Amino acid sequence: MANRWRPPWSARTWLETAHAVVGLPTSLLPAVAVFVHLALALLLSWTFLPARALLRRLMRRAHVYAGWQRSRFDAFLGAELPPPAAPTGVFAWRRADTWRLLCYHLLVAPVVGVLGFALVAGAWSGGLVMATCALWSPQPDRVLAVLTLFGILLLVAAPWIAHLTTRLDLAAARVLMGPTRSEELSHKVENLAASRAEVVAAADAERRRIERDLHDGAQQRLVSLAMNLGMARAQFTDAPEPVRQAIAEAHEEAKQAVKELRDLVRGLHPAILTEQGLDAALSGLAARVPLPVRLSVRVKDRPAPAIEAVAFFVVSEALTNITKHARAARAEIEVVREGDRLRLRITDDGRGGAKPGAGSGLRGLAQRVGSVDGTLDIDSPPGGPTTITVELPCA
């Protein structure tokens, strides 16, 4: 349906006609300028500095001319041609997109421009002249009738000709002036990586907000409730046994709720991680585990907050799994930053047999590490020991 006929008075037809007409000067002038620059550069090739200056100027001019062409496509056809990420210095000669751009200016644009102008202008002007030639002759004959019919056919075909020539011009421009498929994919990957980094940062900020709200709100209320129940438990010693028993149970439940909420808050994003970094946060985490943990943290420069949060989550989840499932007697945690990589190694002497797909905890670790382009490796033969190695990018 894109190539269907449109009447001569269609706005789209006149825009395509104008595009073809304007394409002649905007194609020939850059072609002449590029040819002159190349010829002078070749003549002066025995003198390094002038030739280099000409080449650098040619690269700048080639991109300026490409900007003219993109403006023409945008103004008349509404087509946006994103420019390739090409340098404009002398070393741009080493890039394939530079040769594609020069090929468009020197060969394709002039040929398509001249051909499009000749076909479109010839169809409209020739059709108009031949279709009206019978009006200027006092005695119509067969020749004039044939010319008139041919002129009418040209006028009918002119919108098709304008459309096809502009499609050809646009296709050539997309191939030679626009980015390649690999460049487009690379650009999309960069955008996706940036978007994912923003999502991870937003999620980490949301976790910190939840931790702050829980610490300042629900946790404080539960602590107050536990204190009130404790005072009631101490004061109503002469109350009936069922009443004292109910108060005691409520007091114990409140204290357990406070403990569980504190553990939940620490698991989300402890305040000490933001204030003092991984060393202090992991030290507090290891101190609460009911088995000996040897901790070594060598991080001179703190990574980004999102990376610190992932590292803390990895160690927290690993220690939880060791406590619940590994039947280990001891564990070791080593955190080292080497250049732009943060490496974590968690080892325990438990029964082993841990597999990434065996439980939701390890799957959660893999997903959390993968969210920041990190790597996770689990070495856990049956009988142990188990070693979890994680590498996170810090750049």
Side-chain angles (χ1 to χ4, degrees):
M1 297 300 292
N3 293 333
R4 67 181 184 274
W5 176 80
R6 289 182 292 270
W9 54 84
S10 169
R12 182 69 176 178
T13 296
W14 295 122
L15 287 174
E16 291 175 344
T17 300
H19 174 85
V21 172
V22 175
L24 181 65
T26 56
S27 300
L28 291 181
L29 292 178
V32 173
V34 170
F35 177 80
V36 170
H37 278 82
L38 281 177
L40 290 176
L42 290 175
L43 290 175
L44 298 176
S45 59
W46 57 277
T47 58
F48 178 70
L49 291 180
R52 181 175 180 177
L54 281 172
L55 291 178
R56 186 182 293 110
R57 184 177 180 182
L58 173 61
M59 293 300 99
R60 290 197 298 266
R61 290 298 180 90
H63 285 278
V64 171
Y65 300 148
W68 294 358
Q69 297 288 7
R70 292 189 181 92
S71 299
R72 179 169 65 99
F73 283 104
D74 186 25
F76 294 109
L77 303 182
E80 295 185 3
L81 298 177
T88 58
V90 67
F91 295 106
W93 285 95
R94 301 177 181 179
R95 298 177 61 98
D97 46 18
T98 298
W99 291 102
R100 291 190 292 112
L101 190 60
L102 293 178
C103 179
Y104 179 80
H105 287 317
L106 280 175
L107 301 175
V108 177
V111 172
V112 176
V114 172
L115 180 64
F117 178 85
L119 290 176
V120 174
W124 283 113
S125 60
L128 183 62
V129 170
M130 286 186 288
T132 59
C133 64
L135 300 177
W136 305 101
S137 177
Q139 296 179 350
D141 55 16
R142 292 182 178 179
V143 175
L144 291 178
V146 171
L147 289 177
T148 301
L149 179 60
F150 188 70
I152 294 174
L153 292 176
L154 274 180
L155 289 177
V156 172
W160 281 73
I161 296 173
H163 180 73
L164 292 176
T165 53
T166 53
R167 293 302 100 182
L168 176 63
D169 194 7
L170 180 59
R174 289 190 188 279
V175 172
L176 297 176
M177 285 204 308
T180 62
R181 180 64 175 169
S182 60
E183 290 173 342
E184 290 180 350
L185 292 176
S186 177
H187 183 64
K188 289 180 180 179
V189 169
E190 292 176 357
N191 288 338
L192 289 174
S195 300
R196 185 179 61 181
E198 293 175 359
V199 170
V200 171
D204 184 59
E206 182 66 13
R207 280 192 294 270
R208 290 197 298 270
R209 185 192 66 80
I210 294 173
E211 181 271 334
R212 185 173 58 253
D213 292 345
L214 289 176
H215 182 272
D216 297 338
Q219 182 173 319
Q220 296 300 326
R221 291 189 179 91
L222 280 176
V223 170
S224 177
L225 175 61
M227 291 177 61
N228 291 333
L229 288 173
M231 289 187 294
R233 186 177 182 180
Q235 291 177 359
F236 295 103
T237 56
D238 55 348
E241 178 63 23
V243 175
R244 288 188 287 108
Q245 183 68 22
I247 295 176
E249 291 178 358
H251 185 214
E252 295 300 325
E253 288 291 335
K255 291 194 295 182
Q256 184 63 26
V258 170
K259 179 180 181 302
E260 292 178 357
L261 185 58
R262 283 174 176 168
D263 293 340
L264 174 63
V265 168
R266 294 191 187 103
L268 286 173
H269 193 106
I272 193 173
L273 177 62
T274 303
E275 297 170 359
Q276 301 183 32
L278 277 173
D279 194 356
L282 295 182
S283 297
L285 192 64
R288 295 191 297 272
V289 177
L291 71 154
V293 178
R294 180 179 176 273
L295 176 66
S296 173
V297 179
R298 298 193 302 275
V299 180
K300 183 178 180 181
D301 299 321
R302 292 183 62 176
I307 300 300
E308 282 189 335
V310 173
F312 180 83
F313 175 82
V314 167
V315 175
S316 176
E317 188 68 19
L319 289 178
T320 300
N321 291 336
I322 291 172
T323 303
K324 291 182 178 180
H325 309 295
R327 299 178 185 174
R330 53 187 296 274
E332 293 185 6
I333 301 172
E334 182 183 14
V335 182
V336 181
R337 177 168 181 174
E338 298 178 352
D340 60 351
R341 306 292 292 182
L342 183 68
R343 181 178 294 109
L344 294 80
R345 183 175 288 108
I346 303 105
T347 306
D348 69 81
D349 59 354
R351 60 180 179 174
K355 297 180 181 179
S360 59
L362 294 179
R363 283 198 302 270
L365 280 182
Q367 293 171 355
R368 191 72 179 273
V369 170
S371 68
V372 292
D373 281 338
T375 61
L376 171 69
D377 180 71
I378 300 177
D379 181 17
S380 181
T386 296
T387 301
I388 299 176
T389 304
V390 174
E391 288 194 2
L392 303 173
C394 296

